[in-house]
Structure formats: structure tokens, C-alpha cells
């Protein structure tokens, strides 16, 4: 106890020092904002540098001695030279050392006479250190200024008053974009549409003569990672024009007025460098429909958006400036942005199909040494739904895995492993599942897999696994589509529904009890059925009418926004119809699985033993069954 009391005052002092000098205080992190700390440190360093410089450059190795000792030197005649200033006397001693000294002048009227007597060489001076004095101030001030500038830069925009008005820091201008259309694959339609823009940028006059209407703004719409940014850069690279880019999300955290100033800045810079491309990434962050947010505090965004609209309207296409923007949520954009003369050209970027995925894999594996056993076509077939960024990531992961195994080439095993990783999150083999859980998951996944192999229209099973991956999925059944699908028929949807229910029904049959593991399956099943009933007109009872679900803007108080386009009765009917669909599917799956109960048991046991089973193995088991059944 007593020790503690002793410590206390010390701690208080330390706290104050910390507060003063900005050390991190673990008890009170808000003593000073981190950025203020930063500048105090730079100030201290500058002060230290200042005093150090003074000593080093302008004092030399000079000894300060008492006046009495100086008088002794005079009496001994030991002085080589002497200069007498108004306040200080400095001189050099005789002898090899040539020691310099100074002393503070004392009222001593007899001094000159004494010096003459001892034949000492002396002179007076009148503040002759002017140059030295100036230097001794200017150099440190210069250094201080440089350090300060450096500190301001590090702190980034918005910290210093100086960075407010003209802020080119965040506008990226690339004069020589290396990206070309050859670096973009799998999104050929979008590429085709943008070729026109490239031609225009290369030769604006030609287009004007022919009277062609050139789009002012091109909006690239697509999921994250589909290559929107890449494509915009490629347009600049192909046309060999400057590429100005800025991200919409950067405006959001800025102070009022800064964003608008930045937009003005951007357009004036671009006008000076035409032909060029202005690219606004994440346009949705900036261009959200105005007045949707009831929290207020979006003045900045609105101001910036308004400024953008003003600039776009005041811009003439014949200057050779094309404005491009990217978004993955076009539906939330302010309609004003999409009006003619603004982003009136919209280019949709889809997920790549199997050919596209193969082409993208080819591009990204160009610089990777592939094993001859790697079949990019096959990998493309295994990765439906992957976008360009996922595929780039996949190649990279595979290369890393091969490197970790000290292999010379990247083989198909690495790709398989990397697919597993990218698909389901990192493998977590060390996560322990107790044996009961393992059994349940084995039956659950077996249920999915057997149903998938037993219905007519489901994709064949590639692999069944109970190795936990990620957080949510306990196991997974990987189906490999034989082709990309754009349209689905009613029976295909029903089969997909059956596969989703397979896991849950297997648990029901075997354990007479159900676990929470099927929640995601049921969610997806319900979504499919709801779409069948309300959007695709696939329910006899509800007929061909579609029942749109009302979109609900976030943060709106009350529920006036939830008005459906149909009556309460219809809503109830829809719900009944959905339940009916699901129940029918439930009975169907129950029948499928009870008939194949032997195989279900066999597969589940194999799974809990080996943790994963290939599709072929499962098909072998099922062919036995089919023989027994006589078909
Ligand atoms: P987005 O802007 O649509 O989110 P990006 O253009 O930033 O996507 O894509 C990220 C990365 O993924 C790119 O740098 C590229 O390496 C890769 N990539 C994405 N789409 C493609 C594609 N179609 N062809 C080749 N590479 C792609
Ligand atoms: Mg992007
Ligand atoms: Zn499941």
C-alpha cells in the first residue's frame, strides 16, 4: 500500500509530461489528438536542432574564461591576437594550441594601456558578426520550415489549413497508363462499347465532322471486382490520354466545401489536359439520391454532387474530355446523374462466363510457371460466379501455395486447394467438431449430395466435404455446373429447391430431430420459391401476375415506405403458396432419401471417416442402387 502512495505523485507528474509532450497515455487516450502530438514532436526536434547548430557552427571550440584569468594572460603577454567588442573580448593564445577564448568585458579603463605595454596585437569591432547572426537564425528557421512541411504532408489532407483550398493530392493523374484492352478479358461486350470512346478520344475532330453524338459520361455498372476500374484505365491506355481518377468515397469524409472545390479543381485540370478521361470510382458514395438520409449531415455530399452536375453540364464534349464513373449500386444513384448530357451511357459489366473466366485466368497466369497438368478450362469450369478479381486472387494463391511447398511449378493440386480457399474461406482443419456434430454434418451433406445426383436437372456433384471452412458453413457440397445458365425452367428451379432441402430432410430421417445447420439452406430455398411465385409467374394459383416487393429505403422512420403494390389478402395468399411449394418439395425429398437410405448411411459414414468424398465415388454408389431398382 505504501509503495502505491509513493508512486502516485510521480505518476501525476508523468501524466502531465505525457500530456505536454503527447506520449500515449494508456488511461486517457484523449489527452491530445494524435495529430497534435505529431506537430509538438516536430517542434521539439526543430528547437533541438536550432541550439545544436548554434553551438556547432558559431561557437567553435571556444573557452569562456573569467576576466581575471584574461588579465593574467595579458600580464604574461601570452596573447597572439585580441578583438575587443562592446560586450565581449575574444582572442587567441600564443603557442601551438592556439586556444581560443572569450570573456565578458568588465569596466576596466586601464586595459588599453596595459595591452600597449605588453605589446599585444588588438583590434576593436563594431557588431561585426552580422552575417553570422543572420545565418544562425535563417538556417534553423529554414530547417524548421522544411520539417513542418514534411509533417503537414504526412498528416494528409484536411489536417492543415494550407491544404484546404488547392488539394491535388488525392486526384491521381496518370499520363501513361500501361493498361490496355489486352489486359481485360471476359467482358467483351463492355469492351466493344468502349471502343467507340477510345476512337473518339484519339480523333475528336473526325467524329464531330460526321456529326456523331459522343457520350459525355459513361457509367460502368457491375459487381465489385468485375474489372470496372481496370476497364476505365484500359480505355485511357488504348487512347493514350491522361487518366484522372478520384474516388467518390473520399468526398464523404471531408469538410463542407472541400469536395466541391476539389471537383472544380479536377475539371479545370482536366480541361487543360484534354483529351483525357476523368474517372470517378464509387460514384454511389457521392451520388446517392439526395434527401433520402434523415440523419442530415450530408450537406457536404450534396454540395459535391451539385458541383459535379454543374461541371458536367458546363462541359462540352468537343473538348475531348470523357467522364467515366463506376458503381455497383446504380439503383441508389440520384436520378439527376443519369439524365441526358450526364451519365447517359451505361455499360453493364457482367460476371464472366466460362470462356471469359478461362481468358482471365490466362491473363493472370501469364507470369506464373504452370505445370503441364493444369487445365485452365477445367478451373474455369470449377469457378462459376467468380469475378475477375477472384480469379486473379486464385492464381496468386496457387502460386503462393506452390512456393510454400518449394515447388518449381504451379500444379493443379495447388489450384484445387486455392479454389477451396477462395470459395469457402480458409480451411480450418484445427477447428474441432465433436463426434456428434460430425455425424450430423455428414448426414446433412450426404443428403444434399444424394438428392443432387438423383434429380434430373441438378448440377453433378463435384465433391462433398465436412471440413469446416469460414465461420458459417459447417460442410459443403460442391456442385459443378456443366454449362453457364442464363435461364432456368420451372423443373430446374424445383430440383434446385430439392437439393437445398436435402440436408435438412436427411437429418430429419436419420436423427428424428433437426439442427440449426440448415438455416441458410432454408433461407435460400424460401428465396427461390418466393421468386417463383411472385416474379416468374410459376405458381398456378397466383397466375401470371407479378408481385413486386417494395424496396425499403434505409433509415426512414415509420413504415409509410412499406406500401406493397398488392393487397393484404394477396400477401397472405403468396405466403400460403410459398408454404405449399416448400411442403411439396419436402415430401418429394423425403421420398428420394428414404428410398436411398442405404446409400445415405454409406456415404455419411464414409464422409465422417475421410472428411471428403469425390463426386465419382458417390455416383458409383448410386449406380449400384439404380441397378437394384432395375432402371
Ligand atoms: P472493380 O473496379 O470492378 O471493383 P477492379 O478493376 O478493381 O474491379 O479489379 C481488380 C483486379 O481484378 C484488377 O486489377 C485485375 O487484376 C483483376 N480483374 C478484374 N476483372 C478483370 C478482367 N475482366 N480481366 C482481367 N483481370 C481482371
Ligand atoms: Mg474499382
Ligand atoms: Zn446444407
Amino acid at each position: 500500500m505504501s509503495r502505491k502512495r509513493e508512486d502516485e505523485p510521480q505518476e501525476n507528474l508523468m501524466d502531465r509530461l505525457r500530456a505536454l509532450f503527447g506520449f500515449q497515455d494508456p488511461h486517457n487516450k484523449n489527452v491530445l489528438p494524435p495529430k497534435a502530438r505529431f506537430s509538438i514532436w516536430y517542434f521539439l526536434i526543430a528547437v533541438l536542432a536550432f541550439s545544436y547548430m548554434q553551438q556547432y557552427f558559431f561557437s567553435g571550440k571556444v573557452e569562456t574564461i573569467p576576466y581575471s584569468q584574461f588579465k593574467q594572460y595579458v600580464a604574461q603577454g601570452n596573447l597572439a591576437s585580441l578583438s575587443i567588442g562592446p560586450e565581449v573580448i575574444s582572442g587567441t593564445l600564443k603557442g601551438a594550441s592556439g586556444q581560443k577564448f572569450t570573456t565578458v568585458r568588465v569596466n576596466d579603463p586601464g586595459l588599453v594601456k596595459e595591452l600597449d605595454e605588453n605589446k599585444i596585437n588588438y583590434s576593436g569591432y563594431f557588431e561585426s558578426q552580422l552575417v553570422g547572426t543572420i545565418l544562425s537564425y535563417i538556417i534553423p528557421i529554414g530547417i524548421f520550415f522544411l520539417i513542418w512541411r514534411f509533417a503537414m504532408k504526412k498528416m494528409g489532407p484536411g489536417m492543415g489549413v494550407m491544404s484546404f483550398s488547392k488539394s491535388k493530392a488525392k486526384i491521381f493523374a496518370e499520363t501513361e497508363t500501361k493498361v490496355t484492352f489486352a489486359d481485360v478479358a471476359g467482358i467483351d461486350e463492355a469492351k466493344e462499347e468502349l471502343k467507340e470512346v477510345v476512337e473518339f478520344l484519339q480523333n475528336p475532330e473526325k467524329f464531330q465532322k460526321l456529326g456523331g453524338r459522343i457520350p459525355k459520361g459513361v457509367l460502368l455498372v457491375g459487381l465489385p471486382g468485375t474489372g470496372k476500374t481496370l476497364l476505365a484505365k484500359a480505355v485511357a491506355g488504348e487512347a493514350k490520354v491522361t487518366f484522372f481518377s478520384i474516388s467518390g468515397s473520399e468526398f464523404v469524409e471531408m469538410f463542407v466545401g472541400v469536395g466541391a472545390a476539389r471537383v472544380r479543381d479536377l475539371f479545370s485540370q482536366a480541361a487543360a489536359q484534354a483529351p483525357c478521361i476523368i474517372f470517378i470510382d464509387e460514384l454511389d458514395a457521392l451520388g446517392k439520391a439526395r434527401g433520402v438520409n434523415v440523419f442530415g449531415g450530408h450537406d457536404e455530399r450534396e454540395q459535391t454532387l451539385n458541383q459535379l452536375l454543374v461541371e458536367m453540364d458546363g462541359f462540352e464534349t468537343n473538348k475531348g474530355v470523357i467522364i467515366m464513373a463506376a458503381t455497383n449500386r446504380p439503383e441508389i444513384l440520384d436520378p439527376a446523374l443519369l439524365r441526358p448530357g450526364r451519365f447517359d451511357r451505361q455499360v453493364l459489366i457482367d460476371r464472366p462466363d466460362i470462356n471469359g473466366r478461362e481468358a482471365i485466368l490466362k491473363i493472370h497466369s501469364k507470369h506464373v510457371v504452370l505445370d503441364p497438368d493444369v487445365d485452365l478450362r477445367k478451373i474455369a469450369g470449377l469457378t462459376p460466379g467468380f469475378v475477375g478479381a477472384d480469379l486473379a486472387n486464385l492464381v496468386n494463391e496457387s502460386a503462393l501455395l506452390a512456393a510454400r511447398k518449394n515447388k518449381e511449378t504451379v500444379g493443379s493440386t495447388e489450384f484445387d486447394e486455392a479454389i477451396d480457399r477462395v470459395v469457402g474461406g480458409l480451411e480450418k482443419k484445427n477447428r474441432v467438431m465433436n463426434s456428434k456434430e460430425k455425424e450430423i454434418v455428414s448426414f446433412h451433406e450426404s443428403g444434399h449430395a444424394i438428392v443432387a445426383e438423383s434429380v434430373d436437372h441438378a448440377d453433378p456433384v463435384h465433391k462433398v466435404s465436412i471440413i469446416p471452412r469460414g465461420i458459417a458453413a459447417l460442410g459443403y457440397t460442391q456442385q459443378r455446373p456443366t454449362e453457364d445458365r442464363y435461364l432456368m425452367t420451372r423443373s430446374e428451379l424445383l430440383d434446385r429447391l430439392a437439393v437445398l432441402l436435402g440436408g435438412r430432410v436427411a437429418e430429419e430421417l436419420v436423427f428424428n430431430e433437426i439442427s440449426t445447420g440448415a438455416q441458410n439452406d432454408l433461407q435460400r430455398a424460401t428465396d427461390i420459391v418466393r421468386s417463383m411465385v411472385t416474379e416468374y409467374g410459376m405458381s398456378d394459383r397466383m397466375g401470371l401476375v407479378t408481385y413486386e416487393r417494395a424496396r425499403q429505403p434505409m433509415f426512414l422512420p415509420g413504415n409509410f415506405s412499406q406500401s406493397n403494390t398488392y393487397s393484404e389478402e394477396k400477401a397472405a395468399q403468396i405466403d400460403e403458396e410459398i408454404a405449399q411449394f416448400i411442403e411439396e418439395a419436402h415430401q418429394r425429398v423425403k421420398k428420394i432419401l428414404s428410398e436411398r437410405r442405404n446409400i445415405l448411411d454409406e456415404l455419411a459414414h464414409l464422409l465422417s471417416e475421410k472428411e471428403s468424398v469425390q463426386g465419382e465415388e458417390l455416383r458409383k454408389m448410386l449406380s449400384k442402387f439404380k441397378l437394384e431398382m432395375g432402371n
Side-chain angles (χ1 to χ4, degrees):
M1 281 307 281
S2 65
R3 262 199 70 198
K4 176 136 191 146
R5 222 173 288 144
E6 264 170 44
D7 284 349
E8 261 168 24
Q10 232 180 341
E11 224 170 57
N12 279 337
L13 181 65
M14 280 312 287
D15 279 350
R16 271 154 75 192
L17 283 175
R18 280 193 194 111
L20 201 55
F21 295 115
F23 287 107
Q24 183 103 35
D25 181 351
H27 305 296
N28 180 4
K29 295 219 164 72
N30 301 324
V31 176
L32 276 179
K35 293 195 170 145
R37 257 191 262 146
F38 205 42
S39 55
I40 283 183
W41 273 109
Y42 276 97
F43 177 73
L44 280 179
I45 290 170
V47 167
L48 279 177
F50 182 91
S51 44
Y52 180 73
M53 301 258 321
Q54 280 236 333
Q55 271 195 9
Y56 187 81
F57 284 114
F58 305 104
S59 311
K61 286 192 184 114
V62 180
E63 200 185 354
T64 309
I65 57 171
Y67 195 75
S68 57
Q69 196 179 348
F70 163 67
K71 289 292 280 203
Q72 263 182 28
Y73 287 149
V74 173
Q76 291 161 6
N78 199 13
L79 297 167
S81 69
L82 204 62
S83 68
I84 303 169
E87 270 145 31
V88 190
I89 298 173
S90 46
T92 317
L93 292 185
K94 270 186 184 161
S97 70
Q99 173 70 52
K100 287 183 178 173
F101 68 88
T102 56
T103 185
V104 176
R105 194 167 170 178
V106 182
N107 191 10
D108 183 2
L111 178 64
V112 172
K113 204 175 149 214
E114 229 175 299
L115 291 175
D116 286 341
E117 275 169 13
N118 289 296
K119 299 217 167 41
I120 287 167
N121 184 6
Y122 68 91
S123 59
Y125 68 84
F126 164 70
E127 287 297 334
S128 70
Q129 287 173 330
L130 191 63
V131 176
T133 314
I134 289 173
L135 276 182
S136 74
Y137 279 94
I138 282 182
I139 291 180
I141 286 174
I143 289 176
F144 179 76
F145 181 72
L146 285 179
I147 291 173
W148 177 73
R149 278 267 306 261
F150 177 70
M152 291 310 285
K153 252 193 200 153
K154 277 220 143 175
M155 282 180 221
M159 258 316 287
V161 186
M162 302 296 284
S163 62
F164 269 28
S165 54
K166 199 94 168 149
S167 48
K168 291 179 189 159
K170 289 278 178 166
I171 299 172
F172 293 102
E174 279 180 57
T175 36
E176 278 177 54
T177 313
K178 294 268 176 349
V179 184
T180 64
F181 278 159
D183 298 312
V184 188
I187 43 178
D188 297 332
E189 279 164 54
K191 232 157 81 172
E192 211 50 53
E193 283 195 60
L194 291 173
K195 279 201 177 128
E196 194 192 39
V197 175
V198 173
E199 276 171 36
F200 165 72
L201 285 168
Q202 280 170 336
N203 197 349
E205 296 85 18
K206 183 184 107 189
F207 268 76
Q208 274 168 314
K209 252 185 247 158
L210 294 174
R213 203 179 75 82
I214 295 304
K216 197 183 274 185
V218 179
L219 183 63
L220 304 177
V221 179
L223 289 173
T226 42
K228 299 182 292 296
T229 311
L230 189 72
L231 197 55
K233 275 194 183 162
V235 171
E238 287 284 326
K240 300 197 171 55
V241 298
T242 309
F243 182 72
F244 289 96
S245 73
I246 192 162
S247 172
S249 63
E250 273 160 23
F251 289 116
V252 178
E253 55 220 46
M254 267 183 234
F255 299 96
V256 173
V258 181
R262 199 161 286 193
V263 168
R264 227 175 293 131
D265 214 32
L266 176 67
F267 276 79
S268 68
Q269 279 188 51
Q273 295 219 29
C276 65
I277 287 178
I278 297 178
F279 178 61
I280 304 168
D281 213 343
E282 299 174 65
L283 182 67
D284 42 281
L286 160 69
K288 263 181 229 155
R290 285 165 289 190
V292 169
N293 191 340
V294 287
F295 288 143
H298 50 275
D299 289 355
E300 166 58 11
R301 212 193 61 225
E302 273 188 24
Q303 270 197 27
T304 313
L305 177 56
N306 286 335
Q307 187 65 38
L308 178 66
L309 295 175
V310 167
E311 294 286 347
M312 283 189 83
D313 289 345
F315 228 75
E316 300 201 6
T317 343
N318 55 23
K319 279 188 188 157
V321 179
I322 296 272
I323 303 148
M324 295 181 79
T327 183
N328 52 3
R329 288 182 295 173
E331 71 283 356
I332 65 165
L333 287 182
D334 196 305
L337 276 168
L338 306 177
R339 284 204 195 111
R342 292 170 184 163
F343 290 106
D344 46 4
R345 177 79 63 98
Q346 285 159 38
V347 175
L348 207 67
I349 304 189
D350 266 331
R351 291 178 203 252
D353 62 7
I354 183 161
N355 295 324
R357 290 196 299 272
E358 189 185 355
I360 295 173
L361 283 168
K362 228 172 241 161
I363 288 178
H364 287 281
S365 53
K366 234 183 336 200
H367 304 293
V368 175
V369 190
L370 293 183
D371 200 87
D373 77 339
V374 175
D375 180 359
L376 294 182
R377 176 81 192 175
K378 200 177 138 208
I379 296 169
L382 281 174
T383 49
F386 274 39
V387 294
D390 298 332
L391 294 165
N393 184 22
L394 173 64
V395 174
N396 188 43
E397 280 278 334
S398 315
L400 288 178
L401 281 169
R404 209 172 301 150
K405 294 182 196 161
N406 294 319
K407 289 176 86 171
E408 302 273 303
T409 56
V410 185
S412 57
T413 30
E414 280 80 44
F415 271 99
D416 278 346
E417 216 170 302
I419 291 175
D420 284 355
R421 264 178 206 222
V422 179
V423 167
L426 282 176
E427 240 173 36
K428 289 189 179 170
K429 284 199 169 163
N430 52 1
R431 193 184 125 174
V432 277
M433 227 196 298
N434 68 37
S435 57
K436 180 73 184 164
E437 274 173 344
K438 204 166 164 179
E439 206 187 342
I440 294 176
V441 175
S442 296
F443 275 101
H444 180 103
E445 294 305 327
S446 300
H448 283 307
I450 289 172
V451 175
E453 284 295 330
S454 306
V455 295
D456 290 334
H457 303 288
D459 296 323
V461 172
H462 176 63
K463 185 177 166 187
V464 198
S465 169
I466 58 163
I467 298 167
R469 267 134 237 270
I471 310 163
L474 282 173
Y476 68 102
T477 301
Q478 194 179 10
Q479 282 169 273
R480 179 206 247 174
T482 37
E483 56 200 303
D484 282 304
R485 300 308 305 265
Y486 298 102
L487 274 178
M488 292 192 77
T489 62
R490 187 172 187 269
S491 32
E492 281 165 347
L493 284 170
L494 286 175
D495 283 356
R496 181 166 283 197
L497 178 61
V499 174
L500 282 170
L501 293 181
R504 150 78 181 246
V505 174
E507 288 183 46
E508 210 178 291
L509 282 179
V510 177
F511 302 105
N512 221 345
E513 193 181 39
I514 42 207
S515 74
T516 54
Q519 192 239 355
N520 180 253
D521 296 338
L522 297 183
Q523 177 85 52
R524 282 162 60 197
T526 313
D527 282 347
I528 288 181
V529 176
R530 185 176 291 279
S531 298
M532 287 176 76
V533 173
T534 63
E535 288 169 42
Y536 308 145
M538 287 177 177
S539 135
D540 294 336
R541 182 166 161 209
M542 302 308 292
L544 298 180
V545 184
T546 65
Y547 301 92
E548 222 178 289
R549 258 171 283 175
R551 232 194 275 145
Q552 293 175 19
M554 280 203 333
F555 306 132
L556 274 176
N559 55 2
F560 57 83
S561 66
Q562 293 179 347
S563 58
N564 285 325
T565 53
Y566 45 86
S567 66
E568 290 292 317
E569 283 153 63
K570 276 288 172 203
Q573 279 179 24
I574 289 172
D575 288 343
E576 270 171 41
E577 190 66 2
I578 290 172
Q580 174 81 26
F581 257 93
I582 301 239
E583 187 45 37
E584 274 168 24
H586 185 188
Q587 293 308 329
R588 179 178 172 215
V589 174
K590 223 171 173 170
K591 183 161 177 287
I592 293 174
L593 286 179
S594 342
E595 282 172 5
R596 294 162 179 77
R597 181 60 201 265
N598 291 343
I599 298 163
L600 181 63
D601 289 341
E602 194 183 338
L603 179 61
H605 289 131
L606 198 61
L607 256 184
S608 40
E609 208 177 283
K610 286 172 51 182
E611 298 205 332
S612 75
V613 173
Q614 294 294 323
E616 271 87 64
E617 235 169 309
L618 169 60
R619 278 185 282 278
K620 250 184 240 156
M621 292 180 196
L622 277 166
S623 62
K624 263 191 296 174
F625 167 79
K626 279 182 188 152
L627 277 180
E628 278 164 30
M629 296 297 287
N631 53 357

